[in-house]
Every structure is written in structure tokens, then in C-alpha cells.
Amino acid sequence: MAEATCDIGLIGLAVMGQNLVLNMNDHGYKVAVFNRTVSKVDEFLNDEAKGTQVVGAHSVEEMCSLLKTPRRVMIMVKAGDVVDQTIEHVLPYLEKGDIIIDGGNSLFTDSNRRTKDLAAKGILFIGTGVSGGEEGARFGPSIMPGGNKEAWPHVKEIFQAIAAKVEDGTPCCDWVGQDGAGHYVKMVHNGIEYGDIQLICEAYQLMKDGLGMTADEFHDVFTEWNKGELDSYLIEISATIFAKKDEDGTPMLDKILDTAGQKGTGKWTAISALDLGQPVTLIGESVFARCLSALKDERVAASKVLNGPKKVLTISEKKEFIEDVRRALYCSKIVSYAQGYMLLRAVEKEQNWELNMGGIALMWRGGCIIRSAFLGDIKAAFDKNPKLQNLLLDNFFSDALNKYGWSWRKAIIHGIEIGVPLPAFSTALAFYDGYRTERLPANLLQAQRDFFGAHTYERVDKPRGEFFHTNWTGRGGRVSSSTYNA
């Protein structure tokens, strides 16, 4: 029997799994590894992990026998049934008090179920979001753990050691909450990532079509943007992308087909928003924008049939327009994060979780794809007021929106004038205008619903919670619908 000297075991040696193992090794932790395709274990040990203290196992049983107690087994496999199958393979070799960690992009409801099911068997479960891609996993990701809190003390040291650190050394990892809270926060992170990427792409197309800017000019603009309010990983890598040339010396970006892929977490965020009745419109539009991009052949055909304004270069004040676009991007980004936090507030209430909103901003401050200086401002807002209802109501963000509002509108207006699609910019502004409007036209909507379905309505001159029905035509009865949803 092999000696149990390993601190943690990891199953799944794809890119993220391998890099997390090497990260743990760098921080002095001895890791036992296993992969369903067993040959990959030996390949890893002979290549990327050569010279490390990583120990390879050729079966789940062998891997578990190498682990100190309580055993910590981290699973890095494709979300869904494969996670459940892997858990079933591991369970026979675990004892009460051992810990299973799912580090993939699992749906939070699956993590809710797994936490409860494994607790009934005496096993502690953690469902953790891990963000940062290949580089983050290797040198410091953002880690968002949730599940059975009894497990947290047993993994806290490892997770916080390998996580990214902010300027003062604070790790971008802390306990998120019970059951599927960790994976839910990671899901919202990914949804916001969809929104950030779409907003940047719209800014790019608006300046490309509106100003005729070259890739080198974009590189310079984005490099400059990254020095100010938009300082972030995605702006930084965009600047690098613009500078990359193909073998023939032309911009690499121009050679890439305009059809976007997705793995589903943005869709999950939009579905959850609908389930919770939260107007997370920007993430939804970002998902739909990817779906529209996939209709490449249809769009090519439509471009020959459907007319729109000519994309003439009408902007004379180039520098001023670039600044308008920058401000529009910043304002839209504020709305995107405000909507994401609205969703976190709603799920916290629905699931009876206790989420540390400022702590989540700190976890996203480094290591992850949406890391940015901007998240420090979000953390400051929640530090100032932990019960803050909406980020738009914090002075820092409301001042910025009030200051930049006209630039935001000018950028969108010009996009409309030259036929540039701006679904994320536009929905962000529409939400902002809706949120700041004291009286929306939903009174007419409710009258219509009551007219055709007797769905009832509330009155402005009566207390909230009292519902009324009008016989609009004189032919209807006094019976009203028994259900009402605000």
C-alpha cells in the first residue's frame, strides 16, 4: 500500500486541471493526480510535471490511498453527468469527513443537490468556481467556493495560497456561502464576462465603422484606455489582440470569422434572471448577440437584401468621439455590474444564502477574466453600505453616470445613424432610463391585462397589496383572476 503523503488529489488533467496542480506544487503542496484516460497521467508526469513532487495514480483507488486524511479530492471534469459519475467512482474509497471538490463550471442547482446528497453519506462537498483561464489557473485564479461549510477549514489554506492576490496581498478567494452559492457566483461572473466582452466589441465596431480606425490605432486607443477608468484584463488583452499580425503582415483580427462560440454559463445567467424576475437585460442581449453572430450565412444573404444607412465617416472630431465611446462603455459597464449584483441579491433571498457582496467584488478583483480596477470601486461601495440595494445608487457610480450620460447617448445615437448594431450599449441605457423613471407605462399594461383577462391592478390612491378589477366594457362580470404577479 502506497504511503498517504499527498495533501490533495485531482482528477481531470485537461488544461485547467494541469495548471492548478502545478500551481499547488509551486506553493509546496503535494498533489496526487488521476485521469480517466490513464496514459495522460504518465504524459503529464513526463512533460509538464517533470521535476515536481506531483504523484501519478493509475486508478481512483490508488489516488485516494495516497491522500492524507481527511482526504481532499478535487474534480476538474466537464459539468453535468460526468461530475456525478466521477463522484460515484470516488465514493467507495472515501470515509466519513472526507471532502470532494467540484472545480468545474457546474450548474448551481447540481451543486445544491450534491451538497445535500453527499452530506447524507458523511462526505463534505465543495462546489467552487475557478476563473482566470489557463494563465490564472497556473499563476493565481479567482476561486469562489461554496457548499458544506464544514469543509472550508480543510481547504482554505490551499485555496488561498494558490489564488490571485490583490495589491495588499489579500487572496481572491473566500467562502461564498452554502450549497451552490460558489457556482452561482461563478455563473454570474461568467454572465458579466459575456456583457463586458460584448460591450468592448460594440465599442470596436462603432469606432471601426464610424471612424475607419485601423488595428494599430485601436491598439493605441485601448492601451490608453487601460491606464484609466477602464483598466482591466479584457481591455488589456484587446490592445494586444489589435497589435497581432498574421504571417502576411495584416492584422490577425481581420482574418477571424465573425461567429461567436459559447459554453452556456451566460445562458444559465439569463435563465436564472428570468426565473427570479430580475431585469438582467445586458447579459441577455450579450447571449443573443452571440446567437445572432452564429447566423453567418443568413446575415451574408440579408446584407444583400435589407437596406440600412451607409456607414459614412461623418465624425469630424475624432478625439471627442473616441472619448464619447469610452464614456459609453464605462456607463454600460456600470449597468452590467449593477444588474449582476441585483441577481445576486435576489438569489440570496430566494436560496436563503448570506452573500458577502463586497467580498465577491474582491474575489473578482484579481485572477479572473473580469478583473479590473473598477471592482475596487464596487467593493468600496459595499464596504460603505453592505445593504446597498443597487450599485447605481452609490454616489461614486451615480456621479459617473450623471457626468457621462450625454456622451453615452451621443455614441448610441451615432451608431443608430450609421446602422451599427449596439444591443448591449442600447439595453444598458434603456435600463438606466427605466430605473430612474418614477412612472413607467406599466399602468396601461395592467389595464390591458385586466381588460382581456381580469388580471386586476393596484391603484395609486390605495395601499399597496390591494387589487382591483374594472368592468371595462359593461359586458364583463365582477369575477377577477386569482393570480397576480408584479
Side-chain angles (χ1 to χ4, degrees), residues 269-435:
T269 311
I271 290 170
S272 181
L274 290 169
D275 287 341
L276 292 169
Q278 294 300 305
V280 185
T281 55
L282 199 148
I283 293 171
E285 286 291 354
S286 300
V287 174
F288 290 135
R290 294 194 187 195
C291 297
L292 182 60
S293 78
L295 305 178
K296 176 65 176 180
D297 293 341
E298 289 183 47
R299 290 189 289 111
V300 170
S303 70
K304 297 175 173 59
V305 177
L306 303 177
N307 295 327
K310 289 184 178 179
K311 294 180 173 63
V312 291
L313 307 181
T314 57
I315 298 295
S316 57
E317 297 296 330
K318 186 174 182 178
K319 188 174 181 181
E320 180 184 324
F321 183 65
I322 290 172
E323 176 61 10
D324 285 341
V325 175
R326 187 194 72 81
R327 292 179 175 189
L329 178 55
Y330 186 64
C331 290
S332 300
K333 184 181 173 83
I334 291 173
V335 169
S336 181
Y337 283 72
Q339 290 184 353
Y341 270 90
M342 287 169 67
L343 192 52
L344 292 176
R345 279 278 186 230
V347 80
E348 177 183 45
K349 185 176 180 181
E350 197 239 6
Q351 295 283 332
N352 197 28
W353 292 340
E354 292 181 11
L355 302 180
N356 180 346
M357 299 301 173
I360 290 169
L362 179 65
M363 277 184 269
W364 293 346
R365 181 70 180 80
C368 68
I369 303 302
I370 64 171
R371 61 184 181 265
S372 66
F374 177 90
L375 284 155
D377 301 319
I378 293 178
K379 184 178 187 302
F382 283 111
D383 284 349
K384 187 166 57 178
N385 180 8
K387 299 298 182 183
L388 182 65
Q389 192 64 32
N390 192 298
L391 276 176
L392 304 189
L393 303 179
D394 177 76
N395 287 344
F396 178 86
F397 295 108
S398 62
D399 288 350
L401 291 165
N402 291 334
K403 179 182 177 183
Y404 290 166
W406 179 232
S407 288
W408 191 8
R409 295 176 193 278
K410 281 198 294 181
I412 292 171
I413 288 168
H414 188 67
I416 293 168
E417 287 176 342
I418 63 172
V420 173
L422 300 172
F425 272 27
S426 299
T427 199
L429 181 59
F431 173 85
Y432 170 78
D433 282 337
Y435 192 71

